Amino acid sequence: MSSIVNEFLSEEEKNEFKSKKIPNPAFGLDCLSPIIWTIDKDNHNFMFECYQDRESPHDLTFYMEWNGISNRFKLRKKWLDSNTRLWSLVKSEINPGCKENEKAVIASFKELLLVYGFKGIPNDKSNEINIVFDF
């Protein structure tokens, strides 16, 4: 997992991502334009938070690229104690191009979430929390 880091995107990476014009699932926003991501530099898989649900504030939607193929996950966060966060899967949108490798996609997503930590902010001590999953 040492190749997985939270980092700010460079201007070049931001522009490259904007050029893909990937629709944002959040209401009223045109396309995804991340400024921070959690990336596996060895495998070139990455994820970032798209948005937090206003009606269900514990639900977050994440965009993930696995082997260059986009996937989305809606997760519910819950604190089990002061240092342990539980992630529950609310909904997954696995791209048909990944269906044969769905277990590997989810395993990679979980590895990214372990490094994402609390909020995915680079070099932030608040990311040093225990992460558990029920999926």
Side-chain angles (χ1 to χ4, degrees):
M1 274 198 330
S2 60
S3 69
I4 301 175
V5 295
N6 294 319
E7 69 179 17
F8 291 98
L9 279 75
S10 67
E11 287 303 315
E12 182 180 327
E13 290 166 331
K14 287 180 198 176
N15 290 334
E16 182 181 328
F17 204 88
K18 284 180 187 177
S19 72
K20 295 180 182 183
K21 297 191 185 300
I22 299 168
N24 192 327
F27 302 109
L29 300 176
D30 294 332
C31 62
L32 293 173
S33 57
I35 57 170
I36 297 173
W37 61 9
T38 303
I39 184 168
D40 181 337
K41 292 183 176 256
D42 288 344
N43 296 311
H44 308 289
N45 298 327
F46 63 86
M47 60 146 251
F48 57 87
E49 181 183 330
C50 295
Y51 71 97
Q52 182 171 357
D53 193 316
R54 290 184 183 180
E55 293 180 16
S56 300
H58 298 289
D59 292 0
L60 300 172
T61 297
F62 292 89
Y63 174 90
M64 178 205 188
E65 271 196 22
W66 185 83
N67 289 346
I69 302 170
S70 63
N71 301 278
R72 287 202 180 106
F73 297 90
K74 185 174 186 176
L75 302 180
R76 182 162 294 135
K77 60 185 177 182
K78 178 181 179 182
W79 287 104
L80 298 179
D81 60 40
S82 63
N83 198 45
T84 305
R85 174 176 276 179
L86 169 69
W87 287 111
S88 300
L89 182 64
V90 175
K91 181 180 180 182
S92 65
E93 295 177 26
I94 305 289
N95 189 298
C98 293
K99 280 295 185 187
E100 289 183 16
N101 297 303
E102 187 169 350
K103 287 183 181 179
V105 172
I106 291 172
S108 178
F109 181 61
K110 287 179 172 181
E111 288 178 357
L112 292 165
L113 278 169
L114 288 171
V115 174
Y116 173 85
F118 179 68
K119 195 71 176 151
I121 299 171
N123 304 313
D124 188 336
K125 291 281 186 199
S126 70
N127 290 324
E128 297 172 10
I129 60 173
N130 298 316
I131 302 290
V132 293
F133 308 97
D134 68 0
F135 64 98

